[in-house]
Amino acid sequence: MTAPYTDANVLFEGYGAATPNSAERAVDVLLGDAQMPERAFEDDFFEIDRAVRDSLYGGYDRDADGSEDSEALEGGLGLEAADVASLDGGLAALRTAADKTQADLAVDLDLLTGRNAQTFYLHRRQSAEPDAAQGCGASTNESYMTPENTAGDLEPCFESRITSVVAGFRPLGIFPSEDVLDAPLPAGSTVYVDMYLAAETPSAIRPTGVLMATDREIGTGDGALQPVVASGPGGAACETLGEACWTKWTWSFETTRPAFAGEQVTFQIGMVGARSWAFGFEGAHASRITVVEGQAAPGVEDFGVTITEPADGGTVAAGEPVMAGGAYAFPDAGTDPTGAGDHPSTQRVEVSVDDESFADPVEASLDEASGTWSAPLGALGEGEHTVFARASVDQRTSEVESSSFTVEADRAVQWQVVNRNGQADPAAWKQATGVGDYAFSLDTAVSGAGAKTIVTRLVEDGAETARTGVRARFR
């Protein structure tokens, strides 16, 4: 009854050492007080181990049903028993068996076809004060990834951490992208991992890849369990072994949540079974991930605003407060698959008048029920104006929408009919249609017969600024 902390020792101890503690765990399982431990790591290893043993020595009646059981590899290993007498020979046999028994987890990245893919190469470089010692110090190095396979990475840089055994879920390699996404990445995108590792001691390692967007886990997947040879203290043997120093893992997984334009993506690597390891970055052992974009679900990637008021090309009366408004949509970040919780995000719509840089934006009020926003802009001066609006989630912003309009003075043409030489009645003014080109109609029967004057005037901001009259005779 192995415990989680013995996973890394399965190569040497099998399913676990027989100790008082393991006996207590076994009794708890037999009495129903505990569940049978998950042993996927060990099960995969012994699948490889059985394949090697049966290929070399033949099978036997494992289940006592009277017939031989064999898991020998088709075509065999191409090795004799004497070839696996040494540790290196045994590991070579395990690696050959792993390639054949877990081939379904491997993907040849060079054969990828279909949609355009984004490729990120993993890197490690010195990042410290100029007088800091050059080398693999964790406090003076920086891990990152870029689309270019550039030279000059630090390697082999070996790290040793007990958390790879007692907390294999914790990331042992963290590689953030230097740039942010320039387009959304839908859920259902496929991530192909091509990773190289070296180890100081012989062991069997299973890696896990996790793709992050900002602080959200958007996809994860496990590589195959594989044995690794020893490269010696500090990786000194890598210089002699060359490319043989590095073991390659290739696997893939699909994202379950979307990433959005403006987000930074990070690739994290966890491992079970590693005690001291180094990642490969250069030459034929350059580690990389390739992301093939999936099909976007309708509406999932929506992120932006529309402007309905003031209407583009419309007019607004001077002196009246201007109210801007429209609709908005924020991206759906999906559910939290691990239950770890995401960093709280701030969603808002920002509005700016005559300033596309949003130097001093107004934050709009949001109506979640209708998906609309509104923002008071106050009274604006006469003339042409443009209102800009954008949606924002933390530091990420959507494309900017704009609407241009004109603020016109409060102007109107008014008219009335008076008897010739008579006075206009302040309460009798009627509104004409239009200002620059105006029109109105009148009923002569209402005005009565006789000599009349049709008086028109221009009123601006509540004050009469011009008046004229036309003489007429109604019969």
Side-chain angles (χ1 to χ4, degrees):
M1 306 303 297
T2 184
Y5 60 79
T6 61
D7 282 350
N9 299 329
V10 65
L11 181 63
F12 308 104
E13 297 180 4
Y15 272 116
T19 66
N21 287 335
S22 65
E24 288 183 9
R25 290 193 293 272
V27 170
D28 287 341
V29 171
L30 293 172
L31 294 178
D33 294 331
Q35 294 293 321
M36 178 75 76
E38 290 289 337
R39 303 187 297 189
F41 180 88
E42 294 91 331
D43 291 342
D44 284 351
F45 175 81
F46 282 106
E47 177 187 1
I48 300 171
D49 180 75
R50 287 192 297 273
V52 172
R53 292 177 184 273
D54 290 357
S55 297
L56 289 174
Y57 310 113
Y60 63 94
D61 184 6
R62 286 191 172 89
D63 53 11
D65 64 354
S67 60
E68 179 181 288
D69 300 300
S70 176
E71 297 183 28
L73 297 171
E74 184 176 351
L77 283 170
L79 300 171
E80 302 294 335
D83 297 327
V84 298
S86 66
L87 176 60
D88 288 343
L91 288 172
L94 288 171
R95 180 179 293 178
T96 300
D99 291 340
K100 293 187 176 183
T101 60
Q102 303 191 50
D104 59 315
L105 294 176
V107 179
D108 187 350
L109 296 186
D110 295 326
L111 297 181
L112 287 178
T113 58
R115 298 189 221 188
N116 292 335
Q118 300 183 64
T119 299
F120 298 91
Y121 289 90
L122 309 187
H123 301 285
R124 181 169 182 150
R125 64 187 173 194
Q126 181 82 1
S127 179
E129 297 296 330
D131 59 348
Q134 296 288 318
C136 294
S139 62
T140 59
N141 284 188
E142 178 184 18
S143 297
Y144 62 104
M145 63 183 186
T146 68
E148 296 80 28
N149 184 18
T150 54
D153 290 292
L154 295 172
E155 65 169 29
C157 287
F158 281 81
E159 298 177 82
S160 179
R161 203 175 308 170
I162 191 64
T163 53
S164 68
V165 180
V166 298
F169 58 87
R170 295 186 61 183
L172 303 180
I174 302 177
F175 298 88
S177 62
E178 285 201 321
D179 298 318
V180 298
L181 293 175
D182 58 6
L185 184 66
S189 299
T190 305
V191 181
Y192 297 94
V193 184
D194 196 355
M195 189 187 74
Y196 291 85
L197 275 176
E200 288 192 5
T201 58
S203 57
I205 297 175
R206 171 190 282 150
T208 296
V210 180
L211 189 64
M212 307 286 294
T214 311
D215 66 337
R216 297 177 297 111
E217 177 184 312
I218 64 173
T220 183
D222 295 326
L225 172 69
Q226 284 196 94
V228 293
V229 299
S231 60
C238 282
E239 185 174 344
T240 302
L241 293 173
E243 291 301 328
C245 174
W246 304 95
T247 299
K248 178 182 179 181
W249 277 263
T250 304
W251 75 97
S252 66
F253 58 89
E254 287 192 352
T255 60
T256 57
R257 309 172 82 183
F260 310 107
E263 285 197 288
Q264 182 185 39
V265 293
T266 301
F267 184 63
Q268 297 182 353
I269 302 172
M271 287 180 279
V272 173
R275 286 186 178 269
S276 181
W277 65 91
F279 296 105
F281 305 116
E282 293 288 346
H285 55 271
S287 300
R288 60 180 175 173
I289 67 167
T290 303
V291 183
V292 178
E293 180 182 325
Q295 184 66 44
V300 171
E301 309 300 340
D302 289 348
F303 183 26
V305 298
T306 62
I307 302 175
T308 56
E309 293 293 337
D312 193 41
T315 60
V316 176
E320 295 183 3
V322 179
M323 178 66 73
Y328 70 88
F330 292 115
D332 180 2
T335 57
D336 180 9
T338 62
D342 297 324
H343 189 278
S345 60
T346 301
Q347 298 178 336
R348 58 191 181 278
V349 170
E350 297 176 329
V351 184
S352 177
V353 179
D354 299 329
D355 178 16
E356 194 172 4
S357 69
F358 289 83
D360 188 21
V362 174
E363 184 171 345
S365 299
L366 305 182
D367 183 344
E368 295 184 4
S370 63
T372 59
W373 61 270
S374 60
L377 306 182
L380 302 177
E382 294 182 25
E384 297 288 334
H385 294 280
T386 301
V387 59
F388 300 95
R390 66 186 182 186
S392 176
V393 178
D394 291 335
Q395 301 303 312
R396 304 189 307 279
T397 56
S398 69
E399 292 185 2
V400 175
E401 296 295 324
S402 64
S403 177
S404 297
F405 60 98
T406 303
V407 174
E408 293 184 345
D410 184 8
R411 306 168 68 206
V413 173
Q414 298 175 343
W415 66 275
Q416 63 176 282
V417 178
V418 300
N419 293 326
R420 187 171 296 179
N421 299 323
Q423 298 295 318
D425 182 354
W429 292 105
K430 300 179 179 64
Q431 191 88 6
T433 301
V435 177
D437 293 317
Y438 64 89
F440 59 88
S441 61
L442 55 90
D443 186 348
T444 57
V446 174
S447 302
K452 305 292 181 180
T453 301
I454 304 173
V455 183
T456 58
R457 71 174 184 175
L458 177 65
V459 178
E460 297 181 288
D461 296 328
E464 182 179 312
T465 57
R467 178 181 293 205
T468 188
V470 176
R471 290 183 177 185
R473 181 178 293 274
F474 300 157
R475 297 181 186 275

